Amino acid sequence: EKVNKNRAMNSKRALFESFHDRMNAAIEKKFYLEASWYAYALLEDRLVSMLRQSGGIGRNGSSTQIKMLGPKLGELKNRASTDKLLSENLPATKINDWKDERNDLMHAMAEGTMTQAEIDKKAYLLALQGRDLIKEVSAAAMRLKKHRSKAP
């Protein structure tokens, strides 16, 4: 069973490394909406890592993983109120603002309330901000993991 778990982890790692590569390639090719989709997936993955390092992937010790970025962030914010290390390493406002910008753009597109030029500009900014945010959140998740593994 441990071999299967390691194989799954390596497979997931390879998949998410390809997401990074694809996100960067999408930005280079000016496929900003595609880049934002990869950024969203990568952010969710890093939030799951932070959940693992701060008490588990579910609420109140549950092993059922929290779905969607917003609820994951909400749970981390709750935990941060009593977890100093998490509080110092969770850029909650930046993540929430990026998530809201992404959702607002998707809804505006679906409702036809923006011009193509406005969509293009917002998609460009969303992709670049998402890439920067992933760097920040990934580093924060690694700091949490590093310091938690040293704790008894």
Side-chain angles (χ1 to χ4, degrees):
E1 185 174 312
K2 187 172 184 167
V3 170
N4 286 339
K5 188 174 184 181
N6 285 341
R7 187 175 298 132
M9 289 295 283
N10 287 336
S11 176
K12 184 179 177 192
R13 182 176 295 120
L15 178 66
F16 279 79
E17 285 174 3
S18 79
F19 284 2
H20 272 279
D21 294 343
R22 286 172 175 248
M23 177 188 62
N24 288 323
I27 289 171
E28 284 177 26
K29 294 175 184 170
K30 300 182 181 181
F31 296 154
Y32 301 121
L33 293 174
E34 181 177 340
S36 296
W37 277 89
Y38 286 119
Y40 191 93
L42 290 164
L43 282 172
E44 276 213 54
D45 178 66
R46 295 298 74 214
L47 292 183
V48 169
S49 175
M50 294 178 98
L51 285 166
R52 260 193 211 101
Q53 298 302 322
S54 65
I57 61 171
R59 288 188 176 90
N60 302 319
S62 169
S63 62
T64 302
Q65 185 169 313
I66 300 167
K67 301 286 184 203
M68 300 189 341
L69 194 144
K72 286 179 177 102
L73 183 58
E75 179 64 18
L76 286 166
K77 285 166 60 174
N78 287 341
R79 293 178 188 184
S81 67
T82 58
D83 183 330
K84 186 176 189 289
L85 183 61
L86 179 60
S87 176
E88 291 169 349
N89 285 283
L90 180 66
T93 302
K94 287 181 184 179
I95 296 168
N96 195 62
D97 289 350
W98 186 87
K99 171 190 68 74
D100 288 348
E101 286 291 326
R102 177 196 170 271
N103 291 344
D104 291 348
L105 176 58
M106 293 301 150
H107 288 291
M109 289 173 67
E111 295 160 7
T113 57
M114 290 180 143
T115 67
Q116 188 63 55
E118 290 170 325
I119 291 168
D120 291 346
K121 182 177 181 183
K122 286 198 174 278
Y124 167 78
L125 293 172
L126 191 67
L128 295 186
Q129 291 165 353
R131 181 173 58 186
D132 291 345
L133 188 56
I134 287 162
K135 288 177 189 171
E136 183 176 351
V137 174
S138 293
M142 288 303 292
R143 280 192 303 275
L144 232 106
K145 187 173 185 177
K146 178 183 174 186
H147 290 291
R148 294 287 192 227
S149 65
K150 290 183 178 179

